[in-house]
Amino acid sequence: MRKKIIAGNWKMNLKQQEGTILISEVVNMVKDEVTNNALVVLCPPFPHLGYAKKLFQSQANIFLGSQNCADKASGAYTGEVSAAILQSFEVDYVIIGHSERREYYKETDQTLAAKVNLTLENGLLPIFCCGETLQQRQAGQHFQLIQDQLTNGLFHLSAEQFSKVVIAYEPIWAIGTGVTASNDQAQEMHALIRKHLASKYGQAAAHQTTILYGGSVKADNAAELFACPDVDGGLVGGASLKSREFVNIVKAMK
Ligand code: PEP
């Protein structure tokens, strides 16, 4: 059975003390409540990675994620953090190609493919994001665009490498807007993604791939979204900053 994952993307939020409190609360709640169905991945800003893992070391279903990594292996790239450095801090997952990185930092498919390679070479698991703008959806370009993002970012990988990849479908018009994709819209795109993956890696590999939905997931809409047959969990932004709300999203995965 494929992995179910709820990943919390804190984005550029929370100072050290706030982060410590949030992680401790999440760990305690996840420990005390029945959340066996999903793995939890916490993705704080880089400086938090140094201490975060120590707060949930003994918790088998909580993992550490980074929101980004460099597209170069090492060297004179001021301000960047390599996959090798992340690995040395016991990071497990790396979000790659979030729409905010694509849009604000002009990350191209080529850059993202390099990041995917470095992530895998360093034993980390990529959470590869794809998604369309509202304009692209209204113009009927969304299916082709998502397929192109997947092809350009991932389809150079071997089957063995690809088996490590998690996909996150995040319609840009739903990120941080309070507007969620309908269950039908999410399911339709997730099924298309799985079909596209199957065209390259075969049915069995596509069936094993975890495909997350992201875009204004909240405790009160999570259960419906996660009930869609091709939705295997969520990439959660704003709602991951509140421990109770986030853990209720984790609990919504049945
Ligand atoms: C995200 O940042 O990946 C995201 C989905 O944000 P939000 O949940 O706030 O829409």
Side-chain angles (χ1 to χ4, degrees), residues 37-231:
N37 296 309
L39 305 180
V40 173
V41 182
L42 300 177
C43 307
F46 286 133
H48 294 266
L49 298 171
Y51 72 83
K53 190 82 179 228
K54 297 181 183 69
L55 298 178
F56 51 84
Q57 208 94 46
S58 57
Q59 195 70 31
N61 59 343
I62 306 186
F63 295 84
L64 188 58
S66 160
Q67 298 172 18
N68 185 24
C69 75
D71 62 336
K72 306 285 191 300
S74 66
Y77 299 101
T78 302
E80 291 293 301
V81 179
S82 69
I85 295 172
L86 295 175
Q87 193 274 337
S88 74
F89 279 92
E90 298 182 64
V91 167
D92 306 293
Y93 289 84
V94 183
I95 299 174
I96 294 177
H98 190 284
S99 59
E100 289 152 16
R101 302 291 320 170
R102 291 179 190 259
E103 184 185 349
Y104 305 144
Y105 300 95
K106 308 291 173 230
E107 294 192 356
T108 62
D109 287 344
Q110 199 184 8
T111 313
L112 301 179
K115 292 184 181 203
V116 168
N117 293 345
L118 287 161
T119 298
L120 291 168
E121 281 164 22
N122 285 281
L124 306 172
L125 305 172
I127 300 177
F128 185 85
C129 301
C130 55
E132 81 284 358
T133 63
L134 188 57
Q135 247 183 344
Q136 289 163 332
R137 177 169 275 266
Q138 285 169 341
Q141 298 163 347
H142 47 307
F143 295 127
Q144 189 58 52
L145 181 103
I146 300 302
Q147 292 183 46
D148 290 347
Q149 288 177 342
L150 296 169
T151 302
N152 297 339
L154 297 173
F155 279 15
H156 61 285
L157 297 176
S158 69
E160 158 65 15
Q161 289 174 313
F162 179 75
S163 68
K164 310 276 195 300
V165 175
V166 172
I167 311 278
Y169 167 58
E170 298 207 301
I172 297 169
W173 45 273
I175 297 180
T177 58
V179 178
T180 315
S182 69
N183 303 339
D184 288 348
Q185 286 170 321
Q187 172 54 29
E188 182 183 39
M189 186 60 90
H190 281 232
L192 175 114
I193 290 171
R194 209 176 291 288
K195 197 166 155 212
H196 188 56
L197 300 178
S199 73
K200 170 73 180 171
Y201 293 105
Q203 290 285 355
H207 185 73
Q208 280 308 312
T209 305
T210 299
I211 307 177
L212 310 181
Y213 168 80
S216 298
V217 176
K218 307 234 165 14
D220 59 11
N221 60 23
E224 279 179 50
L225 283 161
F226 298 165
C228 297
D230 286 293
V231 176

